[in-house]
Amino acid sequence: MSNGPGLLHGRLGLAASRIPHADRHGLLWLEYGKLSVEDGTLRFVAARSETLDAGDYAIPYQAVSMILLGPGTSITQDVLRLCARHGVLIAAVGEGGVKSYTAPPLGQGRSDVARAHAERWADPKRRLDTARRLYAWRFGRVLPHRDIETLRGIEGARIKESYKLVAQRFGIEWHGRRYDRQNPNAADLPNQALNHAATFVEAAADLAVAAVGALPPLGFIHEDSSNAFTLDIADLYRVDLTLPLAFGAVRAYRDGDADHLEREVRRRAAKLFRQEKLIPRMIDRIKELFDVDDRGGDA
């Protein structure tokens, strides 16, 4: 088997994966190749890409918690069987991890995060305390308010002002947030870009929530959506990541440096997610939120 730069001979090293080693085991990004089973181990025959040299690689699945299959990948049924037997999650994702096309099984054979999540959500006081903790991370300080509607109102005003300030920073004319779920592309360019950027960040949150085995429907701030908790996590990054991502893409499109708005947001998101190690950061935040320490098993 051949070896790529920085990789052990014949083995796909986790340290060189596109989405860095983050969980107790690791997340491994693969693209443009075929994943199969040979002699009881995973084999990935790769074409050359930004991430990996062309070659034939053995994957140490015992040290992997989730395999993210990017564009141009295919797998055999034996891969699904082997990964299911050993608790390795598989998710099909878009370029750079900015889309999530599958919902993998929860966790890695562990229930600590799910139990902590359910216990906090089921207790009204602990549910509010958890929501206040999420808001504290957004604001950089703990707010004294203990009414969820008051907290939502304060956050709404903050976000409204953040839209205006970030738009000004990028020289974008801003007329307010408008979103038509039935026709997302009907809005003006800044709102279209925000729709795309929010979708991409939510996809990253989907993967982080699945990786740790948290419960998507049980949100602490969001309530009605089937992925309410995913939205709770994605919103932690709205001001610092989602808004600059969207308005930066609009600026590039307006200045003639990009010829397609959604493609520009996608390209920037893929690069930013790698640079910021977004999914691993989200994983760490979820564990911190539930006070789960996976160095020694259950918290």
Side-chain angles (χ1 to χ4, degrees):
M1 292 185 179
S2 63
N3 63 317
L7 302 178
L8 297 175
H9 179 69
R11 293 174 72 82
L12 198 53
L14 293 179
S17 63
R18 185 168 190 159
I19 294 179
H21 185 113
D23 201 358
R24 185 176 64 172
H25 302 299
L27 306 177
L28 188 62
W29 168 274
L30 301 176
E31 63 181 359
Y32 299 108
K34 180 179 180 180
L35 185 62
S36 61
V37 175
E38 185 174 298
D39 297 328
T41 192
L42 292 177
R43 175 190 181 194
F44 187 64
V45 180
R48 182 174 180 79
S49 67
E50 292 182 15
T51 315
L52 195 64
D53 281 348
D56 197 336
Y57 299 91
I59 297 177
Y61 62 84
Q62 300 91 339
V64 178
S65 60
M66 178 184 277
I67 296 173
L68 304 181
L69 298 175
T73 53
S74 62
I75 62 172
T76 65
Q77 187 182 48
D78 278 347
V79 172
L80 301 176
R81 174 185 53 78
L82 184 70
C83 289
R85 179 180 299 169
H86 294 279
V88 180
L89 306 182
I90 298 177
V93 300
E95 180 183 359
V98 300
K99 288 282 190 176
S100 176
Y101 300 125
T102 57
L106 296 177
Q108 296 96 37
R110 298 168 49 202
S111 65
D112 51 344
V113 172
R115 283 186 288 110
H117 191 159
E119 288 167 2
R120 289 170 191 241
W121 186 87
D123 182 326
K125 180 182 181 302
R126 297 183 75 190
R127 189 191 307 179
L128 177 59
D129 287 343
T130 304
R132 293 180 71 224
R133 192 174 191 181
L134 288 166
Y135 278 124
W137 285 343
R138 294 195 207 179
F139 282 91
R141 60 188 176 90
V142 178
L143 298 178
H145 311 282
R146 298 196 62 85
D147 177 75
I148 190 66
E149 293 303 327
T150 300
L151 291 168
R152 286 173 178 152
I154 295 171
E155 171 68 354
R158 169 182 174 264
I159 288 296
K160 187 175 182 179
E161 183 65 16
S162 296
Y163 284 135
K164 186 188 306 181
L165 292 174
V166 179
Q168 288 175 355
R169 193 205 317 169
F170 285 92
I172 302 301
E173 191 174 346
W174 177 247
H175 300 290
R177 185 70 170 116
R178 297 178 179 85
Y179 179 50
D180 181 354
R181 291 185 180 277
Q182 302 303 317
N183 190 5
N185 292 323
D188 58 21
L189 290 179
N191 274 283
Q192 286 185 39
L194 284 166
N195 296 342
H196 299 317
T199 298
F200 298 155
V201 175
E202 286 167 21
D206 273 330
L207 295 171
V209 169
V212 298
L215 307 175
L218 303 187
F220 297 92
I221 296 172
H222 296 83
E223 293 181 345
D224 296 331
S225 172
S226 62
N227 67 335
F229 182 63
T230 297
L231 298 176
D232 285 351
I233 298 302
D235 273 359
L236 293 175
Y237 304 88
R238 193 191 312 187
V239 172
D240 296 330
L241 194 150
T242 306
L243 300 190
L245 172 62
F247 290 129
V250 173
R251 176 66 181 266
Y253 182 78
R254 189 193 67 183
D255 292 350
D257 296 327
D259 58 7
H260 190 281
L261 183 60
E262 180 180 5
R263 192 177 301 123
E264 179 65 11
V265 179
R266 186 189 299 268
R267 184 190 68 79
R268 287 169 175 258
K271 182 179 180 180
L272 188 62
F273 290 4
R274 292 196 301 272
Q275 290 176 338
E276 297 292 325
K277 300 180 180 178
L278 180 61
I279 296 173
R281 284 172 58 196
M282 288 177 166
I283 287 172
D284 289 341
R285 272 304 197 190
I286 295 169
K287 291 177 180 177
E288 183 181 357
L289 181 68
F290 297 132
D291 299 313
V292 172
D293 180 359
D294 69 358
R295 289 175 298 178
D298 292 2

